[in-house]
Amino acid sequence: MELIKRNIHMDRIRAEAVTQFTLEDDVNIPENKPDVSSLNLEKGELVIEEIKPGTDMVTVRGRLAYVVLYHTVEEGSSLVLLAGNLPFEERVNVQGVVPADTVTVEGDVEDLTMGMINSRKLNIQSLITLTARVEELYDEEAPIALHGEEKVEFRRMPLDLAQIVICKNDIFRLKEEVTLPSNYPNIFQILWDNISLGDVEFKAMEEKLTVSGDVHLFVLYEGEGEDHPVRSFETTLPFSGVLDCHGCREGMLPDICYHLGQKELAVRPDFDGEERCIGLELVLDMAIRVYEEEKLEIISDIYGVSNEVNAVTHQAKLRRLLARVTGKTKVTDHIHVTGGSVLQLLHSEGTVVLERQQTVENGILVEGSMQVKVLYITGEDEAPYGCATAQIPYHYTLEVPEIAPEDMGKVRAQVEQLQVTMLDGEEMDVKAVLSFSTVVFKNIPVELIGQVTVEELDAGRLGSLPGMVVYMVKEGDNLWNIGKKYYMPVESLRALNELESDEIKPGQKLLLVKGC
C-alpha cells in the first residue's frame, strides 16, 4: 500500500534575537566648516555593511550615517550642513545559528541626540536596536490518496491552507524629477532634505508585482543671489511601476516588508539651463513573500478491515490565512517652544515607533509613540531657525477575531497624515493619523500520516471479538472509531443499522456483525 503525498511549502523563523547598544562619540567640526552657534535639525540612518554568522552568534558591522543642520553667526551662509559616520561592530547572540546560515539583520535608530560641547565640537549619542533572524523554507508532506489492493477504511479532513510560493529579496528602482514653481528662486545649494514614502501598495498579477504609492519630498535650500535667500519646497509625487516576479499569479497574497535603501538627490538644470530641477533616484529594498490560499483534503486516519493497518504519524504545523487587517488611530498633542518664539512653520515630519505588540482577545494591542520634528522660523537674526521635537504616545487595538498568541503577525506602522499648526508664538497643535497593517496566519496543528504498514490480523484478537453484538453508543463515540475497533467498514455500519447519516447519540443501540 502506497501513500500519495502532496508537498506543502512553508516558511518559518528558525532563530531570532534582538539586542540594543548605545553608540556615542565626540565629533570635531572640520576646518572648512564655520563655528556652530546652535543646532537646528539632525537625523541618522543605520547602514549594515557586513553580517558574519558564527556558532550561536552573529557579528554585525556597519555605521551610523548622521546629518546635522546647524546655524552659524560667521559671515556667509547662516545654515550649514554637516555629515559624517560613526562605525560600529556588535555581536548578537542568536541561539542555533551556525556559520553556514544566511542571516538577515534589521537595524533601527531608536534615539538620536546631538549636543554642543563647544563651537567646534559636537557630542552624538544614539540607541541602536539590531534584530537578527534566520528564515528557512521547508516542506511538509501531506497524504492525499492511497494506492493498493488492501481493503481499508480511511477518512479525509478538509483544510484551508496558505503556502508560500515566492520567497526572495529584491529591489525596486524609482526615478522622479520635479521642477520648482516659477515664483521660487533658482537653487544655489540644498541645505536639508527629507524623503519618505506613503500609501505604498503591492498587488499580485500574472508573473509580476505592481507597486504604487507616493513620494513625499521636502527640501530647504539656499537660493541664487547676493543674499542667498533660504527657501523651503515641499511636494508629493505619485509613482507606480512593475516588478518581474516569476511564479506570481493574480489572486495571490503578497506580504512585503520594504524600506528606503539608497537615496540620491541632485539639482539639475531645466531647459533654460537654470538650476530649478530636483532629480530623485530611490531604491526600495524589499523582502518579498507571496502566499497562495488553497483548499486541500488530506487523509487523516486509516484502518484495515481484512488486515491490520497501522499509520505512522508525526506532529506538524500548517497554517491558513486568518486575516489581513488595516486600522487607523488619531493622536493629538501640543508642543511648547522654549527659548524663543515661532514666526512661521516651515516643515514637519513624523515617524512611528512601535514599542510593544501583544495579543489580546480578538485583536492585537500596539503601543508606542510618534516622534515629531518641526522646523520653524524664529524671526531672530542671531538664530533665525529653530526645531521643536516631541514624542506623542499612542495605544491601539487592531481587530483580529479568533486570534491566539501563537498566531501573531508582524505589525507595520506609518504616519498617514500629519498636521502642525501654530496656536501662538510659543505653542503648536499637532494632529496626526497613524495607520497599522498586518497579515495574520492561523496555526493549524495536525497529525500527518507519513507511512502505512500492513500486517496479518492477529487471530487471537480477532477471535475475541463477538460474531454479532448490540453495541450501546457511549459519549464521544462515532461510526469511525466503532468501525475501527470492530474491523467493520463505516458504510456497512450505516447500512446494517439503516442510518441516513453518520450522526449517532449516546444510548443509541447499534447492531455489529463481524466480517460484514
Side-chain angles (χ1 to χ4, degrees):
M1 180 174 295
E2 179 185 1
L3 275 175
I4 309 301
K5 299 178 183 179
R6 165 78 180 275
N7 282 348
I8 300 173
H9 306 300
M10 307 286 290
D11 63 320
R12 63 188 171 197
I13 297 175
R14 181 168 60 81
E16 184 177 32
V18 180
T19 188
Q20 283 188 327
F21 64 96
T22 300
L23 199 58
E24 181 180 4
D25 200 3
D26 293 338
V27 176
N28 293 318
I29 305 298
E31 292 183 0
N32 62 342
K33 297 283 186 180
D35 287 355
V36 179
S37 174
S38 60
L39 301 178
N40 293 102
L41 277 174
E42 70 276 336
K43 61 182 176 182
E45 180 181 359
L46 207 65
V47 180
I48 306 296
E49 297 177 329
E50 184 182 9
I51 302 170
K52 187 176 181 180
T55 302
D56 294 330
M57 53 81 66
V58 178
T59 301
V60 183
R61 294 185 181 90
R63 56 189 169 88
L64 172 65
Y66 64 85
V67 181
V68 58
L69 185 68
Y70 69 87
H71 178 254
T72 181
V73 295
E74 293 186 14
E75 291 185 4
S77 176
S78 60
L79 290 175
V80 181
L81 190 67
L82 175 67
N85 296 283
L86 296 185
F88 70 87
E89 179 177 322
E90 190 70 16
R91 174 173 170 168
V92 185
N93 295 318
V94 188
Q95 195 68 31
V97 167
V98 296
D101 281 336
T102 299
V103 182
T104 60
V105 177
E106 295 177 0
D108 292 311
V109 181
E110 298 288 342
D111 187 27
L112 178 64
T113 304
M114 292 193 180
M116 285 180 57
I117 298 175
N118 55 51
S119 62
R120 302 300 301 174
K121 183 177 286 189
L122 304 180
N123 176 260
I124 301 176
Q125 296 182 38
S126 182
L127 180 64
I128 306 298
T129 300
L130 296 179
T131 303
R133 63 174 61 94
V134 178
E135 297 180 85
E136 64 180 8
L137 301 175
Y138 67 102
D139 284 348
E140 289 287 4
E141 293 185 325
I144 58 173
L146 278 170
H147 179 69
E149 298 180 357
E150 289 82 2
K151 189 175 181 182
V152 296
E153 284 284 292
F154 61 87
R155 61 176 175 180
R156 297 181 178 276
M157 178 172 64
L159 291 174
D160 290 327
L161 298 177
Q163 62 174 328
I164 190 163
V165 179
I166 299 165
C167 177
K168 66 175 184 176
N169 296 328
D170 208 336
I171 61 172
F172 178 74
R173 297 186 183 276
L174 177 63
K175 292 184 179 182
E176 296 288 343
E177 188 171 276
V178 60
T179 302
L180 295 177
S182 58
N183 58 332
Y184 279 70
N186 294 348
I187 300 172
F188 175 69
Q189 68 170 337
I190 291 179
L191 298 169
W192 188 264
D193 67 79
N194 184 68
I195 304 169
S196 62
L197 300 179
D199 297 328
V200 178
E201 291 185 356
F202 300 91
K203 188 175 182 180
M205 304 294 288
E206 203 69 27
E207 297 294 321
K208 62 186 178 182
L209 285 169
T210 62
V211 188
S212 62
D214 296 323
V215 178
H216 303 294
L217 170 67
F218 168 80
V219 292
L220 186 71
Y221 72 94
E222 281 187 334
E224 289 183 350
E226 293 183 3
D227 298 332
H228 289 302
V230 176
R231 295 289 186 268
S232 63
F233 174 71
E234 195 161 6
T235 189
T236 298
L237 305 170
F239 72 89
S240 61
V242 175
L243 184 71
D244 291 336
C245 193
H246 179 66
C248 193
R249 295 190 299 275
E250 190 171 357
M252 288 184 173
L253 172 67
D255 183 22
I256 300 174
C257 295
Y258 68 91
H259 70 275
L260 267 178
Q262 183 180 347
K263 300 185 286 285
E264 292 185 8
L265 184 149
V267 179
R268 299 170 183 167
D270 62 9
F271 290 113
D272 297 324
E274 298 183 328
E275 302 288 310
R276 303 189 57 79
C277 293
I278 301 173
L280 292 176
E281 293 189 16
L282 309 177
V283 174
L284 225 64
D285 292 325
M286 300 179 296
I288 299 175
R289 308 291 183 267
V290 181
Y291 298 88
E292 183 175 31
E293 295 182 85
E294 182 181 4
K295 293 183 180 296
L296 186 68
E297 281 194 340
I298 68 170
I299 296 176
S300 59
D301 201 1
I302 186 172
Y303 68 86
V305 174
S306 57
N307 291 302
E308 190 74 49
V309 177
N310 296 309
V312 179
T313 66
H314 67 277
Q315 186 70 34
K317 283 187 178 180
L318 305 180
R319 62 187 177 190
R320 65 176 174 87
L321 177 65
L322 180 60
R324 187 173 189 176
V325 188
T326 60
K328 300 178 183 180
T329 187
K330 295 180 180 179
V331 294
T332 60
D333 202 357
H334 289 178
I335 300 178
H336 186 75
V337 178
T338 58
S341 61
V342 180
L343 183 64
Q344 178 186 341
L345 301 181
L346 278 181
H347 172 64
S348 59
E349 56 189 66
T351 55
V352 185
V353 178
L354 185 59
E355 297 171 355
R356 186 170 76 99
Q357 63 180 71
Q358 178 184 355
T359 303
V360 295
E361 185 176 0
N362 291 325
I364 301 174
L365 174 65
V366 290
E367 294 180 325
S369 63
M370 180 185 71
Q371 297 180 346
V372 183
K373 289 183 179 181
V374 183
L375 182 65
Y376 59 89
I377 298 175
T378 66
E380 301 175 8
D381 292 337
E382 293 184 355
Y385 299 95
C387 180
T389 61
Q391 285 192 336
I392 305 175
Y394 69 84
H395 66 276
Y396 177 71
T397 300
L398 277 164
E399 294 184 5
V400 187
E402 302 179 21
I403 190 172
E406 63 271 17
D407 303 330
M408 177 69 77
K410 182 179 180 181
V411 178
R412 303 180 183 97
Q414 65 178 5
V415 179
E416 187 169 291
Q417 299 175 24
L418 175 61
Q419 182 180 10
V420 181
T421 56
M422 289 176 54
L423 296 178
D424 54 40
E426 296 181 348
E427 198 166 21
M428 308 173 194
D429 180 59
V430 180
K431 295 179 180 178
V433 176
L434 310 183
S435 65
F436 304 89
S437 63
T438 185
V439 177
V440 182
F441 294 98
K442 184 74 176 177
N443 283 299
I444 308 172
V446 293
E447 288 282 341
L448 290 181
I449 300 174
Q451 185 181 351
V452 173
T453 61
V454 180
E455 301 174 358
E456 293 291 330
L457 282 176
D458 187 297
R461 182 178 179 184
L462 189 62
S464 66
L465 296 176
M468 180 183 295
V469 66
V470 175
Y471 181 83
M472 186 76 72
V473 176
K474 305 182 186 64
E475 189 72 40
D477 276 343
N478 54 52
L479 291 185
W480 176 266
N481 58 33
I482 294 171
K484 188 174 184 178
K485 181 178 179 180
Y486 288 91
Y487 298 90
M488 289 185 63
V490 172
E491 182 59 36
S492 298
L493 275 172
R494 194 184 299 113
L496 193 62
N497 290 276
E498 300 180 346
L499 300 175
E500 296 182 357
S501 70
D502 288 347
E503 184 178 350
I504 54 177
K505 299 177 181 179
Q508 185 175 347
K509 295 179 181 179
L510 298 179
L511 178 62
L512 309 181
V513 178
K514 185 192 299 184
C516 181

